[in-house]
Amino acid sequence: MAIPSGSGTEVLRRGLIDVQSTSETTLLFTGAKTVAGASGNTVPTNHIITMIKMSFCNTTSNSMTLSMWVYGDSVYSTYFSNQTIGSNQTFVWNDRFVLQAGDSLRINGVGSGTCDVNYSFIDQDWS
């Protein structure tokens, strides 16, 4: 990806997924709520996303496991796999990483629990 030239904006945004369970979900980067099980969401053209922090809060009395990966340039790259989140516990992912246009960030759960996902990111818009 070439570095954009000209002017652009850099905005701190947040996103959330309510009741993530066993459906694979691709995250939105518009600041709007992502519906659990949503598919086809990618980083928009002429945008660079820097993920800052993600929290996964298991809101049930059952434990669950989560996996998160990115799909970009026809390659899957796993960030974490089968991370167990206990009953009414929270897992926080603080590692920063960058997504470019066309990438999709995906999460999926296993088990009978559900979790709420909150994430914050910087959106650099060069369009």
Side-chain angles (χ1 to χ4, degrees), residues 2-60:
I3 296 174
S5 61
S7 62
T9 61
E10 186 172 276
V11 178
L12 182 61
R13 295 187 188 277
R14 61 103 177 123
L16 62 95
I17 304 170
D18 188 28
V19 193
Q20 172 64 38
S21 61
T22 58
S23 300
E24 179 180 309
T25 301
T26 57
L27 279 64
L28 276 173
F29 297 104
T30 62
K33 175 182 170 182
T34 303
V35 176
S39 63
N41 298 320
T42 62
V43 175
T45 302
N46 296 319
H47 286 251
I48 300 169
I49 301 295
T50 303
M51 298 300 294
I52 299 172
K53 181 179 180 180
M54 301 180 76
S55 67
F56 305 84
C57 181
N58 183 347
T59 59
T60 66

Side-chain angles (χ1 to χ4, degrees), residues 3 9 13 21 24 36 42 46 58 61 65 67 77 79 86-87 104 114 127:
I3 296 174
T9 61
R13 295 187 188 277
S21 61
E24 179 180 309
T42 62
N46 296 319
N58 183 347
S61 60
T65 61
S67 298
S77 180
Y79 286 107
S87 167
S104 63
T114 62
S127 52

Side-chain angles (χ1 to χ4, degrees), residues 108-124:
N108 195 15
V110 176
S112 57
T114 62
C115 70
D116 292 337
V117 182
N118 292 283
Y119 54 101
S120 57
F121 59 95
I122 298 170
D123 179 7
Q124 293 174 297

Side-chain angles (χ1 to χ4, degrees), residues 69-77 99-106:
W69 64 98
V70 66
Y71 180 76
D73 296 326
S74 300
V75 175
Y76 289 94
S77 180
L99 302 167
Q100 62 187 23
D103 287 349
S104 63
L105 183 60
R106 303 171 183 204

